[in-house]
Amino acid sequence: MKSQDVESFNELLKQLDVEGDQVRLRFTLRMLNILVLTLTIIALLAMLIPPFSVPIAYILVGVSVTINGIIEWLIRTCREKVGAGLFVGWVNTGIITFMLLNTVEHDLLGMTMFAEMIPLFVILSGLLLGWGFAGFVALLNLTIVFLTYVWFFATNGSSRGVFEEATGFFIPVFLYTALVWAAISFYQYQLTTSRHRLNQARSRLIQDKILHHDLEIARSLQQRLYPPPPPLFGNIRIVAYSEPARETSGDFYDFVQLSDGRWAIVVADVTGKSIAAAMVMVMARSILRSYIATEQSPAAILRAANNALYRDGVGSQYVTVFLGILDSSTNMITFATAGHPFPYLRRNGQIQEIGYGSLPLGARLDREYCETTLQFQTGDQLFLLTDGFYETRNAQRKMFGFEQLLIAIDQSDPTDPQRALDHLLSVVSQFRGDAEQSDDMTAIIIQVLA
């Protein structure tokens, strides 16, 4: 995933959060507005009773219904934040007004009752408009409450002093309000943190899905690079297999027909795994193919390819290679290896390694490679394997190893290369069990039929 794609996705998540907040605010505000409107209508019905039927009450109810209507209109026009501010301001103003009316009437009990409702509106402000707005409402209301207590005791007198009396009544309201505001702030901090973590998890999940999708495409494209084995020619049959440990592979095999009818056979393994190894694999395959077309011998091909990879600076991504040229007219193969596991030749029930060792391609400049010429006999089997076979580990981290590999080869079918390959893969798979495949596995078996 590109960086701009990640930024776009994160912006989309933020937009979704904003839209979600708007939907929640719209729903909450509408429910509260309906509740207040219902209470107002109840109050209007109560005013029909003569003791409560006073002009000021009708005026307050009329103003309240009008404001409720304006808030509903703001909700419908998607201006819910303005509506929330109006709602909080109007209800809060009503409580402060009733507190002041009780102060004017020298009703300390009624005044304190309305003052102790202040924390409820701090909660309301926090739920609708956030902890910052709730803090502003709390500070404004506490200032009004304290000044009102001071004015009340300054007007009505006090046995302990105006400041002491005012502070005594104010401190419980202050502490309750401060605790409520702290709780609201902590709740919203936790909510914001959780949302941030959720968005990060979503972003990682989407990136992983996109990466997995891209790797699946890369794997599909890489599989197309594997050519089918050459058709049966003469009495020689060839089978090939490659299985990556991850989505992409550093192993590869190749068959290239030369102009004179001979076939170049390649089995290679790039050190490392996944994307980096796969990229070097494609580069190494291309380089080897180009020199197979121009050079005359396996040693010369490997020497030229080694210098090209070294100059291209593949770093620590070395390439081990088996490269042989098979002449079906003479049943002869000439090959050279570059840091690759030696081929196993099974002849007359005996298994032996053949070839000469050397450094992998890309490790050092101007390396010379030794060739081996093998004259096939009837019944011969030549196993060309990558190290993923003998380096396979089980759940106890025990390695399959060379000895078990030789036993598996010895117990495989000596007359059918496909059955021999299937047996070898089955034995390795049973040894690995539930453990994850740790390395790519590639094999070519060349069989000389009777």
Side-chain angles (χ1 to χ4, degrees), residues 132-414:
F133 189 82
F136 169 75
V137 170
L139 183 62
L140 178 63
N141 285 345
L142 288 174
T143 301
I144 293 174
V145 168
F146 181 73
L147 293 178
T148 301
Y149 274 122
V150 171
W151 180 78
F152 178 85
F153 287 110
T155 303
N156 295 279
S158 172
S159 59
R160 293 188 299 161
V162 173
F163 183 78
E164 287 79 2
E165 289 281 7
T167 303
F169 279 88
F170 173 73
I171 285 178
V173 178
F174 169 78
L175 292 176
Y176 186 21
T177 303
L179 287 173
V180 166
W181 179 79
I184 285 289
S185 301
F186 180 75
Y187 166 77
Q188 293 195 337
Y189 169 77
Q190 291 294 329
L191 187 64
T192 302
T193 302
S194 298
R195 178 182 296 168
H196 178 67
R197 290 174 179 170
L198 178 60
N199 285 344
Q200 285 184 323
R202 286 174 178 170
S203 182
R204 285 194 297 269
L205 178 62
I206 294 298
Q207 290 181 57
D208 289 344
K209 284 184 176 294
I210 292 176
L211 178 60
H212 180 72
H213 177 69
D214 289 345
L215 288 174
E216 285 294 331
I217 294 175
R219 177 173 183 166
S220 177
L221 293 173
Q222 190 178 45
Q223 290 295 318
R224 297 178 190 177
L225 298 177
Y226 296 134
L232 179 67
F233 48 88
N235 64 336
I236 294 179
R237 183 184 175 194
I238 300 175
V239 296
Y241 170 87
S242 186
E243 178 65 26
R246 297 179 182 174
E247 288 83 358
T248 55
S249 175
D251 281 11
F252 68 97
Y253 64 81
D254 204 1
F255 301 101
V256 182
Q257 189 171 20
L258 305 181
S259 58
D260 58 5
R262 296 180 301 163
W263 283 86
I265 301 174
V266 179
V267 179
D269 179 6
V270 180
T271 57
K273 298 179 182 67
S274 197
I275 297 297
M279 294 178 65
V280 176
M281 169 266 196
V282 174
M283 181 169 63
R285 178 182 181 273
S286 177
I287 290 174
L288 285 168
R289 280 199 159 211
S290 67
Y291 287 116
I292 286 172
T294 59
E295 300 294 337
Q296 299 300 314
S297 66
I301 295 169
L302 291 182
R303 183 168 58 250
N306 172 70
N307 290 340
L309 285 169
Y310 184 87
R311 292 191 180 100
D312 283 342
V314 294
S316 60
Q317 303 293 123
Y318 305 129
V319 187
T320 71
V321 181
F322 166 94
L323 193 151
I325 296 180
L326 176 64
D327 188 343
S328 60
S329 64
T330 61
N331 280 1
M332 185 178 295
I333 186 171
T334 301
F335 67 88
T337 61
H340 200 78
F342 293 139
Y344 289 101
L345 173 65
R346 175 155 67 176
R347 173 177 290 173
N348 299 324
Q350 301 296 317
I351 301 171
Q352 59 178 321
E353 291 181 318
I354 55 175
Y356 298 96
S358 185
L359 292 177
L361 301 187
R364 190 174 299 174
L365 195 63
D366 295 327
R367 295 299 302 173
E368 295 295 330
Y369 298 91
C370 298
E371 294 182 349
T372 300
T373 298
L374 173 64
Q375 178 67 58
F376 282 122
Q377 298 178 11
T378 301
D380 281 356
Q381 276 184 338
L382 188 65
F383 291 79
L384 313 176
L385 309 174
T386 58
D387 58 10
F389 281 86
Y390 59 80
E391 289 184 355
T392 294
R393 294 180 182 272
N394 59 18
Q396 290 73 42
R397 304 301 298 162
K398 182 181 178 181
M399 186 180 294
F400 188 68
F402 291 100
E403 291 185 7
Q404 292 192 75
L405 179 61
L406 288 173
I407 293 173
I409 292 174
D410 184 58
Q411 293 175 348
S412 64
D413 193 312

Side-chain angles (χ1 to χ4, degrees), residues 39-52:
L39 294 175
T40 303
I41 293 173
I42 293 173
L44 180 61
L45 294 174
M47 285 190 302
L48 297 176
I49 303 173
F52 302 102

Side-chain angles (χ1 to χ4, degrees), residues 11-26 80-81 195:
E11 287 298 323
L12 177 61
L13 288 179
K14 291 179 182 178
Q15 182 64 31
L16 291 174
D17 286 338
V18 170
E19 292 177 0
D21 290 341
Q22 289 175 342
V23 171
R24 285 189 292 271
L25 175 58
R26 190 177 302 129
E80 47 280 319
K81 281 195 173 182
R195 178 182 296 168

